[in-house]
Amino acid sequence: MNYLKENIDSLNKKLANGELTADQLAQDTVNNIQETDKKLNAWITVKDEVKPGSDLDFAKSKLAGIPIAIKDNIITNGVKTTAASKILGNYMPVYDATVITKLKQARATFVGKTNMDEFAMGSSTEHSYFGVTHNPWNLAKVPGGSSGGSAVAVASGQVVAALGSDTGGSIRQPAAFNGIFGIKPTYGRVSRWGLIAFASSLDQIGVMSKRVKDSAEVLNVIAGSDDHDSTTSEREVPDFTKFIGQDVKGLRVAVPKEYMSEGVDSGVREVVQQQIDLLKENGAIINEVSLPLTKYVVPTYYIIASSEASSNLQRYDGIRYGYRAKDTKNLLDVYVKSRSEGFGPEVQRRIILGSFALSAGSYDKFFRQAAKVRTLICDEFDKVFAENDVVVGPTTTTPAFDIGSEISDPIKMYNNDILTISANLAGIPAASVPAGLVDGMPVGFQIMAKRFDEGSIFRTADFVERANKFYKQTPSGMED
Amino acid sequence: MEITEDTIKHVAVLSRLEFDESKIGKFTEEMGSIINMANQLSEVDTEGVAETVQVVDRDTVFREDKPEHWQSRSELMANVPDKANGFIKVPVIINKDEDE
C-alpha cells in the first residue's frame, strides 16, 4: 500500500465498505515499507507481522485499522524503543506512552518505529546510531530532524500519519523539508508520559501527515489531560476537525519582519509572501509586527535545552537498563565508559554544554539569564497575540540541505532552528504546512497561535492546503 | 569566559564522560564557539525580570497516594544488562585490597 493519494477519510471508507481489510492493509503497509525503505532508511524497527484484528468499529473510530508511524523516542510496550541511540539500542519497554494507549483505544495499527536524531538532538536525522535517513524529494538531501524518519514515512507514502516530537522545531522543520503538514500542539496539550525526555520544559509530542485534516483527527485522539503527566492541561479538547473547511475572512495575521529578513533564502521568502498575499486577497487582515528578541532565541534555547538534557540524561548509567560497557574496573568506570561509548557525539556535546551552563560560576550568567530572556520572549508573543490570531512566516530559512554539508559545524546546524524555537520557548502551538517548491525542494509556511488555540492553526493551514493543493505533488526522489 | 581544554575536562568529569585525547582540542574549539554564541545573552537587559519556570500556568497538582499495579519484577529486570540470581550485578564497589 502506498498512501500518497490516500487520507484517513478515504481509508476509513474503504475499510468500512469492505474494499480493504485491516489485516491486508497492515501487511501491504509492512511490505511497502520493507521495499521502499532500502533507499530511505526512515525506520529503525519494522514489525514482521501485524494483526489489527477483525473486531474494529470503523464507524466509531476513524483511526481503526489505520497504520500510524511512531517516532522511536515514544515508549511502546514490547517493541524496541531506542531513541536512535546505542545506549538504548536493545531497550524493550514494558509499558506504553499515554499517546500509544490512546491510539490503541482508537484501534490504530502500529507497524514500527521511525528513525530520528539521537535523543531528538539534531536538525537533519544524520545523528542516528542507525544511519542517515534520506529525503524522498532528493535522496542526497537531509530529511530534517529530529523527526526525520516520521516525516519521510509520511512524505514517501509509507504511512498516512505519524507521531513526532518537537523540542525546538523537530516536527515542523522536517515537515517543511519533506512537503508535509506537521503540528506541535501547545505545551501541556498532549501528555509527555512515555516520551523519552530530552528537555522537559520544551518537549511536546505532535502529529505529521500529508493532509491537514488527518493531523486534526490524530490530535483529537491523543490530546487531553493525563494523571501521569502533571504538566498536561485539564482544558477541554475541541474537535479539531471542526476548523477544517473554514474561510479566513477577518483572520488577524501577524507577519514578524524578522522572519522575512535577508537571513531567509530569497526563494523561500517569495513562496511565503505568496501565501500571505493569498490570505490577504481572501479577507485576512495582515499586520506587520516585530519580534526583536528573535536574534536571541538560538542561544536561549541551547542553554535551556542542553541544561535540561544534561539533567535528564544522567539516568543512563549502564546499571538498570541500556548499554553497559565491558572491561570496567569499578562502578565509576561503568558509568563513564557506558556513557562515553553509548552516547553519540552530538548528545555528548549537549551534555557538556548543559553541565557547563549549570555549574557553579556559570549558572547565573548562562542558565538563569536564559530563563529570564525566555520570560521576555513569552511577553513579546503575548503582546502580538493580544491583537492577532496567528503569526506566520517561513518554517525554515532554506529548503533541505545536502547530507553531510552541515554536520561538522554545530553553530550552523543550531541556526537552522531560529524560526521554530520561539514556539517551544513560549509553549505556543505551531505548525508547518507545505507552500511550494524552490529548486525542486519543498518550502514550509509556519503558523503559530496563542496557547490552546490550535484551532486557528488548523483553520489557516487547511486554507493554505486548499489554495495550493501541494498534496497532489509526488516526491521526485521516489520515481525510479 | 575562555573555554580551555581543562574546563572541558573538568565538566566531562562532572558529566561522567571521557574524551579521547586526540579529539579534545577540536571539541574544546567547538564548545568555545557555542559558549561564545551564548555570551550574546548578556546583551539583553533582564533587570527585574522573573525567570520562566512554567510556560502554561498551573497550580501544584495533587493526587491520592495509593498503590497501583505496576510491572512485575521479572518484567522490570528484563532490561538489566548484567544480572545474577534475580539481582542487578555491578562491579565491586569496595576494594578489598585497599581495606586491608
Side-chain angles (χ1 to χ4, degrees):
Chain A
M1 179 57 142
N2 179 292
Y3 293 92
L4 287 175
K5 292 188 171 60
E6 300 289 349
N7 56 61
I8 291 175
D9 280 340
S10 70
L11 291 165
N12 177 258
K13 212 168 159 186
K14 285 179 190 171
L15 287 163
N17 69 19
E19 207 177 315
L20 272 176
T21 69
D23 283 6
Q24 188 191 334
L25 186 64
Q27 199 50 55
D28 283 358
T29 305
V30 169
N31 295 347
N32 180 53
I33 292 170
Q34 280 166 349
E35 182 54 37
T36 54
D37 215 42
K38 286 172 195 156
K39 53 182 177 183
L40 297 171
N41 196 31
W43 298 73
I44 290 175
T45 302
V46 182
K47 288 188 184 177
D48 293 327
E49 199 184 29
V50 185
K51 290 269 174 224
S54 53
D55 59 338
L56 306 179
D57 188 340
F58 303 112
K60 204 173 141 204
S61 171
K62 279 274 185 71
L63 300 189
I66 306 284
I68 290 178
I70 308 294
K71 187 176 179 177
D72 207 24
N73 59 348
I74 298 173
I75 294 287
T76 42
N77 191 5
V79 182
K80 196 175 74 163
T81 300
T82 70
S85 181
K86 180 180 176 182
I87 213 157
L88 283 175
N90 293 312
Y91 181 59
M92 190 66 83
V94 289
Y95 68 102
D96 276 323
T98 298
V99 291
I100 300 296
T101 304
K102 289 186 170 193
L103 286 171
K104 278 185 177 172
Q105 283 160 358
R107 300 298 304 270
T109 297
F110 302 100
V111 287
K113 309 295 290 288
T114 52
N115 203 3
M116 54 183 280
D117 282 304
E118 184 179 358
F119 282 102
M121 297 175 189
S123 308
S124 63
T125 312
E126 292 171 285
H127 302 279
S128 166
Y129 180 61
F130 299 94
V132 178
T133 298
H134 297 263
N135 192 311
W137 291 86
N138 179 339
L139 299 173
K141 303 270 185 190
V142 300
S146 63
S147 310
S150 284
V152 169
V154 170
S156 66
Q158 291 175 329
V159 287
V160 73
L163 293 190
S165 70
D166 191 314
T167 307
S170 281
I171 285 176
R172 291 160 285 154
Q173 187 250 23
F177 281 7
N178 289 280
I180 61 167
F181 177 74
I183 181 164
K184 177 201 91 74
T186 310
Y187 182 81
R189 182 64 107 177
V190 174
S191 171
R192 289 180 295 110
W193 198 71
L195 172 67
I196 294 176
F198 161 15
S200 308
S201 79
L202 303 162
D203 296 341
Q204 190 55 211
I205 292 174
V207 196
M208 310 170 95
S209 57
K210 203 157 167 70
R211 305 295 299 270
V212 174
K213 191 182 176 208
D214 290 347
S215 282
E217 297 276 10
V218 177
L219 191 59
N220 275 353
V221 170
I222 64 169
S225 69
D226 178 18
D227 287 346
H228 287 301
D229 176 0
S230 64
T231 61
T232 49
S233 170
E234 278 161 9
R235 280 177 198 238
E236 198 184 332
V237 179
D239 176 357
F240 296 114
T241 61
K242 283 198 174 139
F243 299 95
I244 303 296
Q246 294 187 5
D247 64 27
V248 289
K249 202 159 180 251
L251 184 78
R252 298 168 304 166
V253 179
V255 183
K257 62 179 184 188
E258 291 80 6
Y259 288 22
M260 295 294 272
S261 70
E262 294 289 310
V264 177
D265 175 272
S266 60
V268 171
R269 253 186 294 153
E270 202 178 306
V271 169
V272 169
Q273 189 57 50
Q274 284 164 7
Q275 312 313 310
I276 296 166
D277 294 344
L278 197 71
L279 290 167
K280 192 174 177 184
E281 283 160 23
N282 284 275
I285 303 149
I286 311 294
N287 299 313
E288 195 194 41
V289 298
S290 179
L291 294 169
L293 290 170
T294 301
K295 64 186 278 207
Y296 298 109
V297 301
V298 173
T300 304
Y301 170 79
Y302 276 93
I303 292 297
I304 292 172
S306 302
S307 298
E308 294 184 16
S310 75
S311 174
N312 274 322
L313 271 56
Q314 55 78 29
R315 71 189 64 162
Y316 301 97
D317 56 8
I319 303 295
R320 293 150 299 147
Y321 52 86
Y323 173 79
R324 184 186 290 189
K326 308 275 179 292
D327 305 323
T328 50
K329 298 191 293 286
N330 53 40
L331 194 60
L332 183 65
D333 211 31
V334 173
Y335 300 152
V336 173
K337 283 211 168 74
S338 300
R339 290 166 63 81
S340 301
E341 291 169 16
F343 288 134
E346 182 57 31
V347 175
Q348 294 193 13
R349 189 150 43 212
R350 297 204 198 190
I351 292 174
I352 294 287
L353 175 61
S355 302
F356 174 77
L358 292 174
S359 63
S362 298
Y363 181 84
D364 284 336
K365 183 173 163 61
F366 293 108
F367 186 78
R368 196 188 296 272
Q369 178 69 357
K372 287 180 175 182
V373 175
R374 184 177 184 180
T375 303
L376 296 174
I377 291 165
C378 290
D379 292 349
E380 208 167 76
F381 272 96
D382 288 347
K383 271 185 208 141
V384 169
F385 284 122
E387 290 168 4
N388 293 279
D389 301 305
V390 289
V391 168
V392 303
T395 310
T396 57
T397 54
T398 64
F401 44 90
D402 291 342
I403 288 171
S405 63
E406 293 191 5
I407 196 158
S408 59
D409 185 346
I411 300 275
K412 205 171 171 194
M413 185 73 92
Y414 294 174
N415 275 319
N416 272 311
D417 303 332
I418 189 162
L419 300 173
T420 50
I421 281 171
S422 301
N424 301 77
L425 291 171
I428 59 176
S432 179
V433 63
L437 293 171
V438 168
D439 299 330
M441 294 307 289
V443 169
F445 181 63
Q446 186 172 212
I447 308 159
M448 306 179 193
K450 59 175 156 298
R451 294 179 195 105
F452 300 103
D453 187 20
E454 288 84 2
S456 288
I457 292 178
F458 280 116
R459 176 185 173 193
T460 314
D462 170 65
F463 177 82
V464 171
E465 178 178 275
R466 276 184 284 129
N468 292 293
K469 297 189 172 46
F470 186 86
Y471 54 85
K472 290 195 170 174
Q473 306 213 35
T474 306
S476 41
M478 295 304 289
E479 290 157 7
D480 288 324
Chain B
M1 183 178 281
E2 207 200 335
I3 304 298
T4 63
E5 288 191 13
D6 285 343
T7 321
I8 298 300
K9 282 177 183 166
H10 173 64
V11 179
V13 170
L14 299 177
S15 312
R16 302 289 187 258
L17 289 170
E18 64 185 359
F19 296 100
D20 199 326
E21 271 303 319
S22 64
K23 290 179 187 155
I24 194 89
K26 187 173 177 286
F27 195 82
T28 305
E29 202 181 301
E30 283 171 3
M31 286 309 293
S33 58
I34 296 169
I35 299 294
N36 197 26
M37 172 182 79
N39 272 328
Q40 289 170 29
L41 292 179
S42 57
E43 295 168 11
V44 185
D45 180 6
T46 54
E47 186 71 36
V49 176
E51 297 156 40
T52 297
V53 180
Q54 165 69 282
V55 281
V56 178
D57 297 333
R58 284 227 63 180
D59 291 329
T60 305
V61 179
F62 293 99
R63 65 167 168 78
E64 263 188 82
D65 188 17
K66 56 180 184 191
E68 275 179 47
H69 170 74
W70 195 235
Q71 280 80 17
S72 66
R73 183 188 169 94
S74 63
E75 280 180 308
L76 291 169
M77 287 296 291
N79 276 298
V80 174
D82 197 1
K83 57 196 160 190
N85 307 322
F87 292 99
I88 299 172
K89 203 170 155 189
V90 293
V92 174
I93 297 172
I94 302 163
N95 191 321
K96 235 180 166 183
D97 297 339
E98 282 174 14
D99 271 0
E100 283 166 1

